[in-house]
Amino acid sequence: MSKTTHFGFQKVAETEKAGKVAEVFHSVASKYDLMNDAMSLGLHRLWKTFTVAQAGVRPGFRVLDVAGGTGDLTAEFARQAGPDGEVWLTDINESMLHAGRDKLLNQGLVVPISLCDAEKLPFPDDHFDRVTVAFGLRNMTHKDVALSEMRRVLKPGGKLLVLEFSRVWKPLQSLYDKYSFSVLPWLGKRIAGDADSYRYLAESIRMHPDQQGLQQMMQNAGLSLVKHYNLTAGVAALHTAIKI
Ligand code: SAM
């Protein structure tokens, strides 16, 4: 019997999940950035700015943005790493990468792009100074495998940064639930013509490990000095870790 996993609140065969996630991101790619601003009231920009600050990228760094989508983090890293750096935009989804490539080109940034699965990264061991994944890990079928891959491609001393939705501060939970399960699908329908993908977003956040759970997963993947920062009362969290 094939193993099962979750796609939002649905139980699906492991072999089906990546295809279902692909449908979500093919559907929303052209409206993805607009939806991010609308549903987070621009907060995702602050969370990403904090992530970029914690990454501390310097000229000449090699940086891998996993599940980089429309390239918000990639763009900042490319500016910071400069012409001597090597900053990759990668994602499993072509539609998201097309949107990302066009956005970066409009900002005068040309970076190498790879269409690849985080669970099987096409990069050598010990190559990158920084690896980041923003709002991507939650969608992956085998998060443990993806984290091990990210660790593998980091140089010893390199840093992994995982920005993801997390568990909100308890007193805000019922308000946040109301917002997530009614406003998000409504916004999705109005702006992206797709309520289901934003219902999946709300559900997938609930199925993702909480702050401590993700910290443990990162330790299990062999990462050291794992810590996290709650952002906006835990709506999101940034986990960081070092490969020793
Ligand atoms: N990092 C971008 C950001 O913060 O705006 C995009 C995040 S978007 C919510 C999630 C991305 O994860 C999508 O572009 C999706 O295609 C990608 N993704 C999902 N599963 C993946 C996998 N196994 N490997 C690589 N990318 C994946």
Side-chain angles (χ1 to χ4, degrees):
M1 209 179 71
S2 69
K3 282 197 196 166
T4 58
T5 185
H6 44 81
F7 172 74
F9 291 163
Q10 291 172 46
K11 210 171 187 192
V12 298
E14 275 193 352
T15 47
E16 281 179 70
K17 176 159 173 170
K20 287 182 165 292
V21 170
E23 278 172 31
V24 167
F25 289 102
H26 284 308
S27 164
V28 304
S30 63
K31 293 286 179 346
Y32 176 80
D33 288 338
L34 183 60
M35 269 303 288
N36 272 354
D37 280 335
M39 66 187 179
S40 75
L41 301 171
L43 280 172
H44 76 104
R45 291 173 185 257
L46 297 181
W47 302 334
K48 286 172 178 164
T49 299
F50 181 72
T51 303
V52 167
Q54 290 300 319
V57 170
R58 294 198 295 276
F61 267 25
R62 290 180 183 159
V63 184
L64 174 65
D65 189 10
V66 173
T70 58
D72 282 346
L73 291 183
T74 308
E76 286 311 316
F77 295 143
R79 281 188 263 272
Q80 294 178 343
D84 296 331
E86 179 187 317
V87 179
W88 283 83
L89 172 61
T90 69
D91 200 283
I92 202 170
N93 189 293
E94 256 177 281
S95 308
M96 292 294 280
L97 283 181
H98 280 156
R101 178 201 56 193
D102 291 351
K103 185 163 89 184
L104 266 56
L105 283 175
N106 284 339
Q107 297 175 24
L109 296 167
V110 179
V111 299
I113 294 180
S114 171
L115 179 69
C116 62
D117 187 344
E119 296 183 22
K120 217 173 173 191
L121 291 171
F123 299 101
D125 296 355
D126 303 338
H127 187 75
F128 291 100
D129 298 286
R130 298 289 181 268
V131 175
T132 56
V133 57
F135 305 112
L137 189 64
R138 182 172 36 85
N139 301 292
M140 293 171 192
T141 309
H142 306 101
K143 299 177 181 67
D144 53 343
V145 176
L147 287 169
S148 299
E149 274 292 90
M150 294 182 222
R151 179 187 178 278
R152 177 182 67 75
V153 300
L154 266 177
K155 285 179 187 171
K159 189 173 189 177
L160 172 66
L161 300 102
V162 182
L163 176 62
E164 191 48 273
F165 292 108
S166 201
R167 208 62 84 243
V168 76
W169 185 46
K170 231 183 165 91
L172 294 181
Q173 206 164 335
S174 69
L175 187 67
Y176 181 60
D177 282 350
K178 282 199 186 84
Y179 175 78
S180 309
F181 289 104
S182 46
V183 179
L184 288 190
W186 182 84
L187 274 178
K189 187 158 174 49
R190 295 283 133 166
I191 298 178
D194 179 354
D196 286 347
S197 292
Y198 286 90
R199 200 165 293 119
Y200 160 72
L201 168 67
E203 292 178 3
S204 66
I205 292 170
R206 271 62 185 184
M207 301 308 287
H208 188 65
D210 64 9
Q211 286 83 340
Q212 280 68 32
L214 179 54
Q215 188 145 336
Q216 189 60 55
M217 284 182 83
M218 290 170 73
Q219 279 159 0
N220 294 347
L223 289 148
S224 304
L225 303 175
V226 184
K227 56 184 175 183
H228 73 266
Y229 306 86
N230 280 319
L231 304 169
T232 316
V235 170
L238 174 67
H239 284 67
T240 64
I242 304 292
K243 171 173 172 178
I244 289 181

